[in-house]
Amino acid sequence: MFPTAFGTHLATLEEGRPPECVPPASLEASSLKKSSWGALFTGIVGGTLVAVYAVATPFITPALRRICLPFVPATTKQIENVVKMLQCRSGPLVDIGSGDGRIVIAAAKEGFTAVGYELNPWLVWYSRYRAWREGVQASARFYISDLWKVTFSQYSNVVIFGVPQMMAPLEEKLELELQDDARVIACRFPFPHWTPAQVTGEGIDTVWAYDARTFRGGGGRP
């Protein structure tokens, strides 16, 4: 009798025992949903950071160099003044730090074979697109390069939108590399030692034109 009664009592206890710690289906689904949202959020944040890094790096890197040449778009009047200084000129043209390509494209429309050198790849790609859109892609070319690593001896016309701290060392570089028939056009800031052959415009739209024969023949640095 005892074993039977004990077994019956044990069975009764087992039937009344709460189930083992198995989470309800709704709790599992909620946990899975939270995990999915967490992974999605992490992916979005990570992707955003990568995108910001990819876009910002080309703009930030030049600023970390010894001499920074920031991108400041040329005004319509500046472009007009540059074109004015190119009247009656011929030969290939280069824009040093070509930015979004507007000077190169304007020169190409005037019949020049024009090249732009720019350190920021995003601006170079955009310049190529603009040249294609304007129909001058055959005569307007753009390259990703540091201006200090480029030789300018093959160009008859040089345009530069510089900053004061770079103008003196650029003077030395161009004096060594340019041919005697070359013309250098400076926008916004003049060269510190050269005597300009022509000046046009006023304020930020001022443009200075320098002829190589002049700054090599006594009109250059003292």
Side-chain angles (χ1 to χ4, degrees), residues 53-65:
Y53 175 81
V55 173
T57 296
F59 291 90
I60 296 173
T61 300
L64 301 178
R65 295 176 178 268

Side-chain angles (χ1 to χ4, degrees), residues 29-216:
S30 177
S31 178
L32 182 60
K33 186 175 181 180
K34 289 181 179 179
S35 177
S36 298
W37 277 108
L40 179 61
F41 178 75
T42 301
I44 291 174
V45 172
T48 302
L49 291 175
V50 170
V52 169
Y53 175 81
V55 173
T57 296
F59 291 90
I60 296 173
T61 300
L64 301 178
R65 295 176 178 268
R66 181 174 60 89
I67 297 178
C68 173
L69 185 58
F71 168 56
V72 180
T75 66
T76 301
K77 191 62 179 177
Q78 285 172 339
I79 297 173
E80 292 176 358
N81 290 338
V82 169
V83 171
K84 184 186 299 184
M85 292 296 193
L86 292 171
Q87 290 179 356
C88 301
R89 297 284 304 172
S90 61
L93 175 144
V94 62
D95 184 8
I96 302 176
S98 54
D100 63 0
R102 58 188 67 189
I103 290 291
V104 173
I105 291 171
K109 288 181 176 180
E110 295 294 321
F112 289 90
T113 298
V115 172
Y117 289 99
E118 170 61 48
L119 196 57
N120 188 319
W122 294 98
L123 292 175
V124 170
W125 296 330
Y126 178 65
S127 298
R128 291 170 179 168
Y129 164 72
R130 288 192 63 187
W132 170 80
R133 190 181 64 184
E134 298 289 336
V136 294
Q137 68 272 19
S139 54
R141 292 169 294 156
F142 301 91
Y143 300 100
I144 302 170
S145 185
D146 186 335
L147 70 91
W148 304 106
K149 298 178 181 179
V150 177
T151 300
F152 300 108
S153 57
Q154 70 269 37
Y155 298 106
S156 301
N157 305 280
V158 179
V159 181
I160 173 67
F161 280 75
V163 291
Q165 61 266 35
M166 72 178 293
M167 301 307 276
L170 187 58
E171 269 187 347
E172 298 180 15
K173 178 176 174 61
L174 295 178
E175 281 184 16
L176 291 173
E177 296 177 357
L178 295 181
Q179 303 296 321
D180 287 341
D181 62 348
R183 165 163 281 200
V184 181
I185 299 173
C187 307
R188 292 201 181 100
F189 297 100
F191 285 95
H193 302 112
W194 294 348
T195 300
Q198 288 180 267
V199 181
T200 189
E202 58 185 17
I204 64 170
D205 296 324
T206 304
V207 171
W208 297 262
Y210 305 87
D211 293 329
R213 285 192 180 90
T214 301
F215 58 69
R216 283 208 180 103

Side-chain angles (χ1 to χ4, degrees), residues 18-28:
E20 295 180 0
C21 298
V22 177
S26 60
L27 185 58
E28 287 184 347

